[in-house]
Amino acid sequence: QKPYEDCPLFLYFLPSASAEGARVFLEPQPGTHQVGDSVNFAAVLDTEGEAINAIDLSIKVPELFRIKQVSKEGTIVQLWISEPSFSGNTVKFVGGIPGGINTSQGVIGRMLLEASAIGEGNIAFLSDSSVLLNDGLGTKLELGATSGPAFKVVPKSKETPEIAPSP
């Protein structure tokens, strides 16, 4: 006798607590910056064909950058559960989209960072981040790309003054 023969049929069709497919990423793509540079980043959502209605995004910024400001300007979020904020090197965006949205380039929030230390690191979307489907059940959509590509911060280049030729 096989072990599954005694199980009721409905156990094989239980709904999943999460669904596949959403991706968060940064724009512009990471690159090399000089100490003292200010860099604007947008956290962007691609729902990969699904309609979502809630976002809870936690972003860890490496010690290479100092967070100067977070903003909700021009985002897809219409109802903020809490205002965009940061504490230490963690940024938080929590809000909803009444009626839901299906997008491949939806800006969730913006960050203004200042390159403050030499080195390499990445901005990571923390594992407690979540996106919920607009299905009336609060189904959690799995998030892909939870760790962004590496940034590099280099010393500020020294500008040499132009010397006028002597007559």
Side-chain angles (χ1 to χ4, degrees):
Q1 181 174 1
K2 295 179 182 161
Y4 57 83
E5 287 179 347
D6 291 336
C7 294
L9 185 59
F10 72 87
L11 289 180
Y12 295 111
F13 299 103
L14 290 176
S16 173
S18 63
E20 288 188 27
R23 188 173 66 92
V24 288
F25 56 96
L26 296 174
E27 285 188 349
Q29 290 296 310
T32 300
H33 306 283
Q34 295 181 5
V35 171
D37 286 354
S38 289
V39 188
N40 280 298
F41 289 106
V44 181
L45 174 69
D46 177 355
T47 63
E48 305 216 342
E50 299 284 355
I52 62 102
N53 66 4
I55 299 165
D56 184 347
L57 189 62
S58 298
I59 304 170
K60 183 72 171 174
V61 176
E63 299 292 328
L64 303 172
F65 292 98
R66 184 174 67 83
I67 303 168
K68 294 175 75 174
Q69 179 182 2
V70 293
S71 168
K72 61 184 179 183
E73 184 178 325
T75 68
I76 59 172
V77 179
Q78 298 168 6
L79 176 65
W80 290 95
I81 306 305
S82 60
E83 288 295 311
S85 62
F86 64 93
S87 177
N89 273 41
T90 302
V91 175
K92 193 87 169 144
F93 296 106
V94 183
I97 301 118
I101 190 169
N102 180 344
T103 181
S104 62
Q105 292 270 318
V107 175
I108 299 168
R110 300 179 187 282
M111 305 177 290
L112 176 61
L113 308 179
E114 181 181 331
S116 59
I118 297 166
E120 290 188 24
N122 65 333
I123 294 177
F125 299 98
L126 300 179
S127 61
D128 67 345
S129 297
S130 61
V131 176
L132 302 182
L133 283 174
N134 186 34
D135 62 359
L137 303 172
T139 304
K140 195 174 187 178
L141 202 56
E142 293 296 325
L143 284 179
T146 55
S147 183
F151 289 88
K152 190 173 192 177
V153 178
V154 297
K156 187 143 190 94
S157 63
K158 294 181 180 174
E159 295 181 22
T160 54
E162 284 189 35
I163 301 173
S166 49

